[in-house]
C-alpha cells in the first residue's frame, strides 16, 4: 500500500515549542467546567430535588401554580419595596428548602439581570426619556456644535425603571430556580400535563431538555478536544472568537443532530398521534429512566 | 533501557461520586510500545484512555507521563499544558467533538498555529497532512459536513500535525470501511515503526492483532484482567468470551493464523 509520510514525521521532535507563560490560568476552561458541574451534575442528578426540605415536600402542581402566580404578580409590581419583600420571601424559601443560597444568589443575579441592566441602561438617559437629573454625565457646551449643546444625564425616573426591571428579572429567576431545583423532572412534566398541557407538548419539552443536556455534554467534550490542541495561550479576544465559532458549529451540529434524532424516531415508527395516545403517559412516569445524553452519543457514534 | 511514557499506579476513578468504575488499575507503557486496550462496550476503554491523556483525573492513585506526575492543577498551567498536549495526542471516539473549525484546512492548521510555529511551516505541514491522509480535495469543506470516515481522517491529521510522541486513539477503526481500516492500520504501523508510542482501544481483534504487540483487557466490571502479549490474548478463547469480546458463534477460518472473529459491537 502506497503511503506518503512527510519527512518531519520521521522523527520525534524534541524541541519545546512554547508561547505560553507558566502559571497562566484558563478562564474559559474553568467556567465551562463549572457550568458542566452545575448543569450536568446538579441538574441531571436532581441532587437538590432529592433532599428533604420545605418545597421538595410540596406537590409539583402547587409549586407550578405558585410560580405562575408569582411571575404574574412580579410583572405587575412597580413598587420596589414590594419587590424587595418578594426577594426576601424567595430567600426564605431557598433556606427552608436547604438550597445553597449564596451560590444561587451569585448565579441568579450575576447573569440575566446584569444583561437586562446593560441593555436597558440607555433608556435611563435623558436622551431617551426626559426627567429630573440624577447623575450628570456631560455638562453640555454653548460654543460647540448644536448636537452637543445639551447636557446628558441619567434621569431619576429612568433609573427607577431600570432598577425595577433588574429586581423583577432577578426575582423571577429566583422563583423559577425554586421550582426547578426542588422538583424532580418527571414530576414537573407530569404536573404540566395535569394542569391541561397536552402530553405531546410536554414530551417535546422534555425531549428538548434532555437534548439540551446532551448538547452541553458535546460542547464540553468539544472544549476538551480543543484544549488538547489549544496548546498556546489565547488572548481574551481569541477565546471569545473561538467560543463564537464553536457556538456556530454547535448550532450547525445540533441542526444535523436533531434531524438525525428525528429520523431515528421515525425509523422506529414514531408518529405524534400514536405516541401521545399510547406511550407518552408511560414515558413520563417515575419508572421511566430517561436515556442519558452519553448513551445517545454512544449510540450515535456507532 | 527504554523510558516509560505512561505510569499508572493504583488508579481509581468514578464518573459519579460513590460509583467507582476503576478500583485500582496499574500498568506502565514504555516509549515505542504499541498497546491495545480491549474490552466490550461499557468496559471503560474510553475512560481509561481519557485518564492517560489527562482529560480525566483519577481520584486515587497517580499517573506519570514522561516521568512527570500529572495533576489537574498542573494541567491548568498553560506552559505545562502546552508541552503535554503536544507530546500526547488524542483521537476521540467521536470525531464530531474534535472538529470545530469552518474549513478542513483551518482545522488541521489549528494546533501548530496555536503553538506559534511560523506561518510558512504551518502551511507546509498542513499540505503534507492533506496529502498523507489523502484529503486534499476536502480542504475547503466544512468538517461537520463530511462523512464519518472523512471526519476521522481530518481528526487524525489535526492531531498528527503536532507530531506527538504518544498517540492515543479511541476506537479508531469503528465506522470505517474495510479499505480505510487497512489504510489506517498501515499508517499506525508506520508511525509506530518511527518510534511513536501507540495506545488504541478497540473491540476489533483484527486491528489489535495487526497493530499492537501488547494488550490490556478490561472485563465488563471494569477490571484489568489481562496484561500481556497480543497474540497470547487472541488465542485465549476462554478469556475473550469471559470479557464478552467473542461469543459462541465465533469461528476461525481454516487458514491458520488468519484472524477473523465475530466480535460484539
Ligand atoms: N460522563 C459519564 N458519566 C457517568 N458515567 C459514565 C460517563 N462516561 C462513561 N460512563 C460509564 O462508564 C462506563 C465505561 O464507559 P466507557 O469508558 O465509555 O466504556 P467503553 O469506551 O469501553 O465503551 C460505562 O458504564 C458508562 O456508562
Ligand atoms: Mg468508548
Amino acid at each position: 500500500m502506497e503511503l506518503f509520510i512527510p519527512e518531519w514525521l520521521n522523527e520525534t521532535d524534541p524541541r519545546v515549542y512554547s508561547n505560553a507563560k507558566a502559571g497562566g490560568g484558563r478562564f474559559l476552561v474553568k467556567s465551562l467546567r463549572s457550568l458542566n458541574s452545575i448543569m450536568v451534575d446538579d441538574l441531571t442528578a436532581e441532587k437538590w430535588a432529592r433532599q428533604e426540605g420545605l418545597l421538595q415536600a410540596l406537590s409539583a402542581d402547587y409549586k407550578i401554580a405558585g410560580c405562575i402566580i408569582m411571575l404574574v404578580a412580579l410583572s405587575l409590581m412597580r413598587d420596589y419595596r414590594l419587590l424587595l419583600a418578594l426577594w426576601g420571601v424567595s430567600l426564605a424559601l431557598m433556606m427552608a428548602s436547604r438550597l445553597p443560597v449564596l451560590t444561587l444568589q451569585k448565579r441568579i443575579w450575576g447573569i440575566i439581570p446584569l444583561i437586562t441592566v446593560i441593555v436597558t441602561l440607555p433608556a435611563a438617559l435623558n436622551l431617551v426619556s426626559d426627567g429630573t437629573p440624577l447623575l450628570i454625565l456631560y455638562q453640555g457646551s454653548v460654543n460647540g456644535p448644536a448636537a452637543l449643546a445639551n447636557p446628558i444625564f441619567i434621569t431619576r425616573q429612568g433609573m427607577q425603571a431600570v432598577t425595577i426591571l433588574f429586581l423583577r428579572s432577578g426575582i423571577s429567576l429566583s422563583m423559577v430556580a425554586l421550582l426547578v431545583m426542588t422538583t424532580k423532572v418527571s414530576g414537573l412534566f407530569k404536573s404540566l400535563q395535569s394542569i391541561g398541557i397536552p402530553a405531546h407538548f410536554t414530551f417535546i419539552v422534555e425531549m428538548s431538555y434532555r437534548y439540551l443536556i446532551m448538547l452541553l455534554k458535546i460542547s464540553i467534550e468539544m472544549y476538551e478536544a480543543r484544549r488538547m490542541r489549544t496548546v498556546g495561550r489565547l488572548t481574551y479576544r481569541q477565546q471569545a472568537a473561538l467560543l463564537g465559532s464553536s457556538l456556530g458549529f454547535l448550532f450547525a451540529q445540533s441542526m444535523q443532530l436533531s434531524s438525525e434524532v428525528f429520523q431515528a424516531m421515525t425509523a422506529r415508527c414514531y408518529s405524534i398521534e400514536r405516541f401521545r395516545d399510547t406511550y407518552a403517559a408511560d414515558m413520563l412516569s417515575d419508572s421511566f429512566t430517561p436515556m442519558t445524553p452519553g448513551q445517545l452519543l454512544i449510540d450515535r457514534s456507532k | 533501557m527504554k523510558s516509560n511514557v505512561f505510569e499508572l499506579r493504583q488508579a481509581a476513578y468514578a464518573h459519579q461520586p460513590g460509583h467507582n468504575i476503576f478500583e485500582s488499575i496499574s500498568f506502565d507503557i514504555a516509549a515505542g510500545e504499541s498497546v491495545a486496550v480491549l474490552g466490550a462496550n461499557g468496559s471503560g476503554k474510553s475512560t481509561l484512555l481519557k485518564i492517560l491523556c489527562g482529560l480525566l483525573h483519577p481520584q486515587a492513585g497517580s499517573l506519570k507521563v514522561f516521568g512527570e506526575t500529572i495533576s489537574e492543577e498542573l494541567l491548568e498551567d498553560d506552559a505545562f499544558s502546552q508541552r503535554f498536549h503536544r507530546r500526547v495526542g488524542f483521537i476521540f471516539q467521536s470525531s464530531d467533538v474534535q472538529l470545530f473549525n469552518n474549513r478542513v484546512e483551518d482545522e488541521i492548521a489549528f494546533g501548530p498555529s496555536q503553538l506559534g510555529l511560523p506561518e510558512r511551516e504551518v502551511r507546509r505541514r498542513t499540505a503534507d497532512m492533506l496529502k498523507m491522509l489523502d484529503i486534499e480535495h476536502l480542504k475547503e469543506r466544512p468538517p461537520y459536513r463530511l462523512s464519518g470516515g472523512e471526519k476521522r481522517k481530518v481528526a487524525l491529521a489535526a492531531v498528527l500535525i503536532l507530531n506527538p510522541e504518544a498517540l492515543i486513539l479511541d476506537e479508531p477503526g469503528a465506522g470505517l470501511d474495510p479499505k480505510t481500516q487497512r489504510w489506517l492500520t498501515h499508517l499506525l504501523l508506520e508511525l509506530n515503526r518511527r518510534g511513536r508510542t501507540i495506545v488504541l482501544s478497540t473491540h476489533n481483534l483484527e486491528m489489535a492483532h495487526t497493530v499492537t504487540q501488547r494488550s490490556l483487557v478490561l472485563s465488563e466490571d471494569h477490571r484489568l484482567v489481562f496484561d500481556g502479549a497480543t497474540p497470547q490474548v487472541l488465542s485465549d478463547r476462554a478469556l475473550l468470551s469471559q470479557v464478552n469480546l467473542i461469543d459462541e458463534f465465533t469461528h476461525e477460518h481454516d487458514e491458520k493464523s488468519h484472524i477473523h472473529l465475530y466480535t460484539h459491537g
Side-chain angles (χ1 to χ4, degrees):
Chain A
M1 202 179 300
E2 217 33 64
L3 189 63
F4 162 80
I5 292 190
E7 208 161 302
W8 52 269
L9 260 184
N10 280 338
E11 277 162 41
T12 54
D13 182 356
R15 278 178 291 175
V16 176
Y17 299 95
S18 180
N19 55 2
K21 290 186 210 66
R26 284 155 180 266
F27 161 74
L28 275 182
V29 172
K30 277 185 195 152
S31 42
L32 239 118
R33 281 242 182 88
S34 70
L35 191 68
N36 182 20
S37 70
I38 299 167
M39 290 286 292
V40 179
D41 298 348
D42 292 10
L43 217 60
T44 51
E46 303 187 325
K47 182 167 146 196
W48 307 108
R50 279 176 205 280
Q51 70 181 15
E52 309 235 313
L54 181 72
L55 285 183
Q56 285 89 338
L58 209 63
S59 131
D61 298 3
Y62 294 126
K63 281 185 279 186
I64 290 178
C67 187
I68 293 173
I69 292 170
M70 287 290 191
L71 292 181
V72 173
L74 273 166
S75 68
L76 298 174
M77 258 177 221
R78 292 208 48 93
D79 186 336
Y80 68 94
R81 280 164 305 190
L82 272 178
L83 286 172
L84 286 179
L86 264 191
W87 180 46
V89 170
S90 78
L91 285 180
L93 285 175
M94 279 176 194
M95 275 185 247
S97 310
R98 301 177 40 205
L99 300 181
V101 182
L102 214 66
T103 338
L104 263 181
Q105 292 302 309
K106 272 192 242 159
R107 282 179 202 159
I108 287 173
W109 296 97
I111 316 163
I112 294 174
L114 269 185
I115 293 172
T116 316
V117 167
I118 292 166
V119 171
T120 55
L121 207 55
L125 296 175
N126 66 323
L127 301 177
V128 179
S129 59
D130 214 8
T132 35
L134 182 70
L135 180 70
I136 295 183
L137 300 176
Y138 172 70
Q139 285 293 355
S141 124
V142 252
N143 36 19
L148 293 176
N150 295 321
I152 297 175
F153 53 85
I154 293 178
T155 67
R156 179 174 299 279
Q157 291 81 349
M159 204 56 219
Q160 263 166 9
V162 170
T163 313
I164 289 195
L165 265 177
F166 174 72
L167 286 174
R168 262 190 206 157
S169 59
I171 299 166
S172 305
L173 263 181
S174 306
M175 296 300 170
V176 174
L178 274 169
L179 170 66
V180 171
M181 289 183 73
T182 60
T183 315
K184 289 185 195 150
V185 180
S186 54
L188 201 62
F189 287 109
K190 223 177 350 190
S191 289
L192 283 176
Q193 239 178 302
S194 75
I195 61 172
I197 295 173
H200 71 256
F201 179 76
T202 53
F203 169 71
I204 288 167
V205 176
E206 196 184 5
M207 283 279 287
S208 322
Y209 161 80
R210 285 192 223 145
Y211 184 57
L212 197 77
I213 301 266
M214 178 178 71
L215 274 181
L216 194 77
K217 281 211 161 181
I218 300 183
S219 64
I220 286 160
E221 260 208 342
M222 265 175 68
Y223 212 88
E224 288 176 343
R226 161 149 342 139
R227 190 160 62 103
M228 309 274 315
R229 281 156 64 208
T230 309
V231 276
R233 184 171 175 74
L234 297 182
T235 64
Y236 198 85
R237 266 183 87 112
Q238 283 173 311
Q239 293 199 27
L242 264 179
L243 194 67
S245 83
S246 62
L247 282 181
F249 172 82
L250 206 60
F251 182 73
Q253 201 182 11
S254 76
M255 298 298 286
Q256 194 172 335
L257 201 63
S258 58
S259 61
E260 274 179 28
V261 167
F262 188 74
Q263 286 163 1
M265 289 169 71
T266 318
R268 279 156 58 193
C269 313
Y270 171 76
S271 123
I272 279 221
E273 309 299 311
R274 257 183 66 76
F275 190 85
R276 179 187 51 202
D277 299 342
T278 39
Y279 301 116
D282 290 353
M283 288 195 75
L284 295 170
S285 78
D286 278 335
S287 58
F288 173 70
T289 337
M291 178 156 43
T292 66
Q295 281 171 312
L296 243 179
L297 260 186
I298 289 166
D299 289 350
R300 219 172 73 75
S301 63
K302 289 282 115 69
Chain B
M1 202 200 101
K2 280 200 168 160
S3 57
N4 282 334
V5 177
F6 300 102
E7 290 176 22
L8 195 63
R9 288 285 171 282
Q10 273 123 40
Y13 186 82
H15 280 294
Q16 278 156 349
H19 300 278
N20 264 16
I21 292 231
F22 300 130
E23 298 288 347
S24 173
I25 287 202
S26 307
F27 56 81
D28 292 345
I29 293 177
E33 266 194 289
S34 65
V35 180
V37 176
L38 299 173
N41 274 339
S43 58
K45 301 182 295 296
S46 298
T47 307
L48 187 61
L49 295 188
K50 283 189 173 184
I51 290 176
L52 289 185
C53 71
L55 284 176
L56 300 175
H57 301 277
Q59 279 98 356
S62 69
L63 170 70
K64 275 189 186 179
V65 180
F66 295 114
E68 274 179 290
T69 303
I70 301 302
S71 69
E72 199 163 353
E73 296 74 49
L74 196 55
L75 279 172
E76 266 170 23
D77 180 285
D78 276 325
F80 181 81
S81 168
Q82 189 171 50
R83 261 189 294 140
F84 180 80
H85 292 317
R86 197 189 77 77
R87 297 180 80 184
V88 181
F90 185 64
I91 308 284
F92 281 71
Q93 180 166 359
S94 152
S95 307
D96 284 327
V97 306
Q98 206 161 357
L99 308 173
F100 44 81
N101 286 282
N102 292 321
R103 294 170 66 241
V104 166
E105 205 172 16
D106 299 341
E107 190 67 63
I108 297 172
F110 182 83
S113 22
Q114 290 305 311
L115 270 181
L117 252 64
E119 184 66 35
R120 271 190 46 207
E121 176 77 6
V122 174
R123 269 205 300 272
R124 187 172 70 93
R125 287 197 185 189
T126 307
D128 284 344
M129 282 297 113
L130 287 167
K131 186 167 172 207
M132 178 168 104
L133 291 134
D134 195 19
I135 46 175
E136 277 158 315
H137 55 293
L138 302 175
K139 68 180 181 187
E140 308 280 348
R141 303 260 304 270
Y144 52 84
R145 291 255 181 269
L146 304 179
S147 77
E150 290 165 341
K151 279 183 194 163
R152 187 72 49 86
K153 284 187 164 185
V154 177
L156 262 168
V159 169
L160 284 177
I161 194 169
L162 289 168
N163 195 1
E165 290 164 59
L167 195 58
I168 302 180
L169 308 99
D170 197 358
E171 311 224 4
L176 299 183
D177 59 61
K179 184 163 161 258
T180 314
Q181 277 202 30
R182 268 201 312 280
W183 170 89
L184 178 66
T185 304
H186 190 51
L187 174 70
L188 293 177
L189 276 172
E190 287 300 320
L191 289 170
N192 185 235
R193 184 177 307 168
R194 285 164 173 78
R196 298 314 182 291
T197 309
I198 290 186
V199 185
L200 58 89
S201 79
T202 184
H203 45 226
N204 176 344
L205 300 181
E206 187 156 353
M207 176 170 262
H209 172 72
T210 335
V211 179
T212 68
Q213 293 115 39
R214 175 180 165 200
S215 290
L216 304 171
V217 180
L218 291 173
S219 62
E220 286 183 298
D221 56 354
H222 323 298
R223 284 175 306 111
L224 181 58
V225 289
F226 179 90
D227 176 357
T230 300
Q232 191 187 335
V233 66
L234 293 187
S235 58
D236 190 343
R237 297 175 62 85
L239 176 68
L240 290 178
S241 84
Q242 177 210 323
V243 300
N244 209 11
L245 272 167
I246 56 171
D247 63 27
E248 59 215 76
F249 295 108
T250 304
H251 69 278
E252 275 173 87
H253 281 277
D254 293 335
E255 316 101 85
K256 55 173 178 18
S257 87
H258 174 79
I259 302 239
H260 179 99
L261 300 173
Y262 290 101
T263 64
H264 282 285

